[in-house]
Amino acid sequence: MRTPWGVALSLAVLLWVHESHAAPEAQRSAPPPSPLPPGVSAVLWKLSVPESAAPTPEKVALGEKLYNEKRLSLDDSVSCATCHDPAKGFTDHLPVSAGVKGQFGMRNSPTVLNALFNASQFWDGRAATLEDQAKLPILNPVEMAMPSPEAVVAKLKGIPEYVTAFQQVFKRDITYDDLAAAIAAFERTQFSGSARFDRFIHGETKALNESERRGWALFNGKARCNSCHAGNAVSPLFSDQKFHNIGVSAHKQDFPQLAREGLKIVRLGDEKQIDELALQTRFSELGRFLVTKQENDVGAFKTPTLRNVGITGPYMHDGTLATLWDVMDHYNKGGVANPFLDGGMQRLGLTEPEIDDLVAFLFTLTDERFTKLNGQELAKQRSRKNKRPERDTAVAMGKKGNLGDLAPNPDLAVKNPADIGAYGTETLPKPASTKQP
């Protein structure tokens, strides 16, 4: 398919910005694998994967073995795959994850799929790279609980197969940095961009049914989802990579008091303490504030990817929303009011059929290799459709409360927000919901 002019311009601007802010001797990029799926940008791959971190077959094979290695935990019971199971969309389908000795943390496990493109890692962005992210769970007391990097290395040195493997891959003895590099190399192979939506956006109109097309129109229009979850050529994740307080946990905490307490005990730059506070204490709800110490980050968490969202529930940083209907109910009422609520949160006024259409669309973002699991999860969520603890129709429709005016509801016969082609140019038939290519 020929690259639309708008895409070429966007990529050129992005590359110019990237190069103009790069260090004088910027690292060379690793060449992208070929072929890439249609929903993954080669340009973003090059920006995300430096040549020094190229996922070579040997490094990936070692990383996959380590990813599944339970002996990296204190009691040999937990591996990376325990919380990020490939068979479950690289999540665990639990509200919050279980570690050694049956301990539970405070955060939901995000998917590893497309994590290589993240601007930062974890819900609060406390790790800058996949390598940094790989190190922390092994040492966290409620996850894998190893006492130190040295203890991890010593344990692996007692396993002959790893002594040999590290020598073959890295040409030296085992180090903690090399362990993280191997796991990160495996994770860099877990990209995803072959969903039904990708076939649709590249011109296969019949890839989505009528309800799903209406959901795509709402996504870009009345529901305002694309404010934070827009998808385009250089951002295939449907995430703005920013941090927002949307009020998920505001009812649990006195945020101003919690922030005052948190500022007193958080030591600037102590990565280990921040990691433990995020998973072990009530200060977990402070989110991005733990990292930045900025008041406007209190209760803010990273916008998650919507890729594969149908199979990566339950949702939000604490896993408190069981279904995508619950997620839509939360947004429909404008979140939960608190002093730090993001200014973009407002009631949406979505009707029940519109919510159904949005949920239907969101399930089209799942990679087709997970088609069976996607159908199972849709059926499971639909069975809970009448259990809606987050629904507040009166607030959503403006019959009580004061959460602002509704977003525009365009006349789809005049301009359908879903009539957008490959990331920014109008190439699909008009309207996408009625005409064939």
Side-chain angles (χ1 to χ4, degrees):
M1 178 178 176
R2 192 176 178 184
T3 303
W5 180 86
V7 175
L9 178 62
S10 298
L11 298 183
V13 170
L14 180 69
L15 287 170
W16 177 82
V17 171
H18 176 74
E19 291 173 359
S20 64
H21 288 80
E25 296 183 6
Q27 283 190 317
R28 292 171 58 88
S29 299
S34 181
L36 282 170
V40 174
S41 161
V43 172
L44 185 57
W45 170 278
K46 292 176 181 178
L47 292 177
S48 303
V49 185
E51 187 177 48
S52 61
T56 63
E58 298 78 15
K59 195 183 295 184
V60 169
L62 175 58
E64 183 174 12
K65 186 174 178 64
L66 291 165
Y67 184 89
N68 290 284
E69 181 56 81
K70 292 184 177 181
R71 286 175 290 184
L72 287 179
S73 65
L74 183 66
D75 60 3
D76 300 345
S77 66
V78 175
S79 70
C80 302
T82 301
C83 300
H84 303 280
D85 186 347
K88 298 177 180 177
F90 286 84
T91 64
D92 56 14
H93 291 175
L94 297 174
V96 294
S97 295
V100 299
K101 301 178 181 179
Q103 299 178 93
F104 284 87
M106 304 290 286
R107 300 271 175 89
N108 176 264
S109 288
T111 182
V112 170
L113 292 169
N114 286 334
L116 75 156
F117 300 127
N118 288 343
S120 61
Q121 306 295 330
F122 295 117
W123 281 101
D124 52 19
R126 64 186 182 276
T129 67
L130 286 176
E131 286 80 2
D132 295 334
Q133 184 278 327
K135 294 176 181 179
L136 292 177
I138 299 173
L139 305 178
N140 191 285
V142 300
E143 292 185 282
M144 299 168 79
M146 289 296 289
S148 68
E150 294 75 20
V152 178
V153 170
K155 192 172 185 179
L156 285 179
K157 285 184 175 179
I159 305 173
E161 62 190 283
Y162 282 118
V163 174
T164 301
F166 273 83
Q167 279 288 351
Q168 290 174 339
V169 174
F170 294 102
K171 313 304 180 187
R172 55 180 173 251
D173 290 339
I174 299 170
T175 70
Y176 200 57
D177 285 344
D178 286 346
L179 176 150
I183 293 175
F186 167 68
E187 292 178 335
R188 285 192 175 94
T189 67
Q190 303 309 314
F191 47 83
S192 170
S194 294
R196 279 197 295 123
F197 170 79
D198 295 302
R199 290 195 278 116
F200 171 79
I201 206 66
H202 283 85
E204 189 181 332
T205 309
K206 291 183 179 180
L208 302 190
N209 63 34
E210 291 292 329
S211 173
E212 293 160 351
R213 293 175 199 168
R214 290 193 300 268
W216 176 227
L218 288 161
F219 185 96
N220 291 286
K222 181 179 178 182
R224 303 173 63 247
C225 307
N226 65 351
S227 297
C228 299
H229 292 283
N232 55 55
V234 295
S235 181
L237 306 182
F238 287 79
S239 166
D240 63 6
Q241 297 288 298
K242 297 179 181 179
F243 301 85
H244 303 278
N245 178 326
I246 62 171
V248 171
S249 56
H251 61 282
K252 299 179 185 177
Q253 304 284 348
D254 179 345
F255 271 14
Q257 177 59 31
L258 196 68
R260 284 193 292 270
E261 292 180 39
L263 193 57
K264 292 178 182 178
I265 69 168
V266 176
R267 298 188 298 274
L268 185 63
D270 190 332
E271 182 183 66
K272 184 176 186 297
Q273 187 195 38
I274 292 172
D275 188 59
E276 292 180 3
L277 288 173
L279 291 180
Q280 295 176 248
T281 73
R282 63 194 180 96
F283 294 106
S284 173
E285 300 300 336
L286 292 175
R288 182 68 172 163
F289 175 80
L290 291 176
V291 180
T292 66
K293 321 303 183 297
Q294 299 297 314
E295 187 172 330
N296 62 340
D297 284 327
V298 171
F301 293 87
K302 185 166 64 177
T303 304
T305 177
L306 295 185
R307 288 275 178 184
N308 305 293
V309 68
I311 61 170
T312 54
Y315 305 104
M316 303 302 175
H317 71 277
D318 55 2
T320 52
L321 303 187
T323 72
L324 289 172
W325 275 276
D326 293 329
V327 172
M328 293 313 309
D329 286 341
H330 175 84
Y331 282 109
N332 202 25
K333 65 185 179 185
V336 178
N338 68 87
F340 304 95
L341 188 69
D342 191 278
M345 294 295 291
Q346 65 181 65
R347 68 184 181 92
L348 300 176
L350 298 169
T351 65
E352 191 67 10
E354 288 173 332
I355 290 175
D356 289 344
D357 288 340
L358 277 160
V359 171
F361 166 71
L362 292 173
F363 272 93
T364 74
L365 298 178
T366 299
D367 197 290
E368 292 189 294
R369 64 181 142 141
F370 297 108
T371 295
K372 182 177 179 181
L373 178 60
N374 199 48
Q376 292 170 345
E377 291 300 308
L378 175 57
K380 188 184 301 182
Q381 291 194 27
R382 187 178 285 128
S383 72
R384 300 186 55 156
K385 184 182 170 183
N386 293 325
K387 300 176 181 178
R388 306 275 285 277
E390 298 300 317
R391 180 161 53 180
D392 193 331
T393 303
V395 170
M397 297 301 174
K399 295 181 180 179
K400 71 176 183 181
N402 181 22
L403 290 173
D405 296 329
L406 294 181
N409 190 11
D411 183 347
L412 301 187
V414 176
K415 176 64 178 176
N416 189 336
D419 286 338
I420 300 175
Y423 309 116
T425 57
E426 298 184 23
T427 60
L428 288 180
K430 301 179 182 180
S433 59
T434 59
K435 291 186 179 181
Q436 302 300 312

